[in-house]
Amino acid sequence: MVMLRIALIPIWILTLPGTGHATEPVQLTGGSPCFDFSKKSTRILSPSPYSFPETGRESRELGTDAKTGFDWARVAGIVKLPIEKVNAKLLDQMTTRNPKTTTITTESLTPNGALNRTRVAIRVKPVFFITLEWEEEWAHTLIEGTPEAPKEILISYQKTNGTSHIRHFCGNILLKTVSPTTTGVFLYEQIDADQRDPDDVADGLLGTLKTLRP
């Protein structure tokens, strides 16, 4: 979801990628939105893996895009929960945020083809003299199956307003049913933010994956 990890900010705030393939992520111009949520969005910013690492292991890739300067990372792994339960965890915006330093306000938006679309206002106070505020939009979109029995769900998110310390931020979380009791999770994120590097992005995504595991 997310977890932002800027030096002045705890490394969790912006998480929320990873495949075993070296394909470069989609090229984007600086500061432009990644998704158009006025209609059903099925755009995935980086190719998803053909298969997931064995249970208990993860794949991890990271880098800085030479054209845009965005730091990016990809992480993939298995969560031993049904896809519905993994998706439910990610519908709770506090699942991947630090409650000691973060407060949020959520607003349900017109789905526009998604299962769920939300605006999230985030206020982070990592130390007493610093406060950061920004907004994100999130959409959970059914790719395969039915709302009652999903087989694949694509979650997309992006910063839409707020602090100049985060100039560009967006990502995907792809959930795929592997078995009735296990879900493949692929996370990709790209960011342009103060004092944040690809290792921070990758660590944040790995932290999200571990948080989703029972």
Side-chain angles (χ1 to χ4, degrees), residues 9-10 12-13 97-103 123-127:
I9 308 175
W12 57 263
I13 304 176
R97 305 182 195 271
N98 185 342
K100 294 181 179 179
T101 57
T102 306
T103 56
R123 187 174 189 269
V124 177
K125 197 171 182 64
V127 291

Side-chain angles (χ1 to χ4, degrees), residues 35-43 110-114 117 137 139 141:
F35 310 106
D36 178 4
F37 291 142
S38 68
K39 56 187 177 182
K40 182 176 181 178
S41 177
T42 59
R43 183 184 190 192
T110 304
N112 295 337
R117 188 165 72 97
E137 279 194 32
T141 302

Side-chain angles (χ1 to χ4, degrees), residues 71-83:
D71 295 321
W72 61 270
R74 298 184 277 244
V75 166
I78 293 289
V79 173
K80 292 192 286 186
L81 288 172
I83 189 173

Side-chain angles (χ1 to χ4, degrees), residues 46-185:
S46 183
S48 61
Y50 297 116
S51 61
F52 291 90
E54 63 186 70
T55 302
R57 312 195 79 166
E58 303 87 24
S59 64
R60 181 177 183 268
E61 289 184 88
L62 57 130
T64 299
D65 186 271
K67 293 184 179 179
T68 65
F70 298 156
D71 295 321
W72 61 270
R74 298 184 277 244
V75 166
I78 293 289
V79 173
K80 292 192 286 186
L81 288 172
I83 189 173
E84 297 92 337
K85 290 190 175 182
V86 180
N87 187 54
K89 283 191 173 188
L90 290 166
L91 284 169
D92 179 356
Q93 284 287 327
M94 289 307 295
T95 293
T96 56
R97 305 182 195 271
N98 185 342
K100 294 181 179 179
T101 57
T102 306
T103 56
I104 65 169
T105 303
T106 60
E107 176 188 358
S108 294
L109 302 175
T110 304
N112 295 337
L115 295 172
N116 177 278
R117 188 165 72 97
T118 307
R119 178 181 294 120
V120 187
I122 302 143
R123 187 174 189 269
V124 177
K125 197 171 182 64
V127 291
F128 75 93
F129 55 87
I130 295 174
T131 300
L132 297 176
E133 296 180 318
W134 71 94
E135 291 184 354
E136 297 169 3
E137 279 194 32
W138 285 66
H140 293 232
T141 302
L142 182 69
I143 302 298
E144 185 179 350
T146 66
E148 297 75 23
K151 294 182 178 180
E152 185 172 342
I153 295 171
L154 178 64
I155 302 167
S156 306
Y157 58 91
Q158 62 190 0
K159 179 203 170 193
T160 56
N161 193 24
T163 177
S164 60
H165 291 288
I166 309 166
R167 291 166 290 281
H168 176 88
F169 171 61
C170 55
N172 292 119
I173 305 174
L174 182 68
L175 309 179
K176 285 188 175 184
T177 294
V178 175
S179 78
T181 59
T182 58
T183 302
V185 180

